[in-house]
Amino acid sequence: MTISTIENLMASVADLFMAPVLLAILVLFTYALYACGRFLSLWLLRRRNATAYQRALSQKEAQWLPGYQVHNYYVRNPEACDDELEVFALKKLELLRMTTRIAPMLGLIATMIPMGPALRALADGNIQGISENLIIAFAAVIWGLAISTLTFWPASVKKRWFAAELINIRKLKGAA
């Protein structure tokens, strides 16, 4: 096998990745919209039950309240140690955090794959081939960054919420 054969094989295989990567970007965009909707509903639940949550904490009671996921896990599992509670919180954040990190990578992959054909079109003087491939390349990276943006904020806010709930659970455990 010569180097040019290996290069052509790698280029052909890279072209095969384009459809699955674009499909993955589409799936992640759909998930990002879904996650934003869930985040909004969770925010509304927490807002509606904030007074009851604060009252329960001040009275040192562990009662189930809609919107407080880590707290409710503790209510259902009062024997859970701090590590179990942290793992539960991380599990609840995992898909959002992964989406935030993976989407830009997929956008970059989908940007680089059409660059080969665009450079080939440039060498051939095919302006239309260049523009078609660059449109796909730049659109993919924009979608990846948009997905990451849509999921980063809910992931960050939920992380803060869960950390506050963990602190409050530690206080409840200390009072018990």
Side-chain angles (χ1 to χ4, degrees):
M1 265 178 131
T2 65
I3 294 296
S4 66
T5 307
I6 294 172
E7 289 171 351
N8 289 333
L9 178 65
M10 289 179 75
S12 298
V13 171
D15 287 341
L16 294 175
F17 288 137
M18 192 61 173
V21 168
L22 291 177
L23 182 63
I25 288 172
L26 182 61
V27 168
L28 288 179
F29 181 72
T30 304
Y31 169 73
L33 293 177
Y34 170 76
C36 285
R38 285 199 55 169
F39 174 75
L40 181 61
S41 69
L42 184 61
W43 176 75
L44 290 171
L45 269 175
R46 290 176 68 90
R47 187 171 173 209
R48 188 177 315 135
N49 294 306
T51 306
Y53 179 67
Q54 291 303 323
R55 189 178 325 111
L57 291 176
S58 66
Q59 294 173 355
K60 309 285 190 239
E61 292 178 1
Q63 66 183 35
W64 192 90
L65 292 162
Y68 294 87
Q69 296 172 321
V70 179
H71 177 81
N72 292 337
Y73 180 82
Y74 170 68
V75 170
R76 287 189 309 269
N77 303 291
E79 72 288 341
C81 68
D82 289 348
D83 290 338
E84 288 177 75
L85 295 168
E86 287 179 27
V87 167
F88 176 79
L90 285 173
K91 185 177 177 183
K92 286 290 186 184
L93 290 171
E94 195 165 15
L95 194 53
L96 265 178
R97 292 176 68 228
M98 285 175 53
T99 301
T100 299
R101 287 172 172 82
I102 289 173
M105 290 182 229
L106 290 174
L108 182 60
I109 291 169
T111 298
M112 298 312 294
I113 292 171
M115 293 305 278
L119 291 173
R120 257 188 248 121
L122 177 64
D124 296 339
N126 180 357
I127 301 298
Q128 183 177 351
I130 296 169
S131 65
E132 288 172 359
N133 284 299
L134 290 181
I135 288 169
I136 295 168
F138 292 123
V141 79
I142 290 168
W143 279 88
L145 293 172
I147 294 164
S148 184
T149 301
L150 285 172
T151 56
F152 178 75
W153 188 65
S156 297
V157 172
K158 286 177 83 171
K159 182 178 179 183
R160 179 178 41 86
W161 287 347
F162 292 169
E165 287 179 48
L166 287 169
I167 289 168
N168 291 330
I169 289 168
R170 288 186 186 114
K171 289 178 184 176
L172 284 174
K173 283 181 171 184

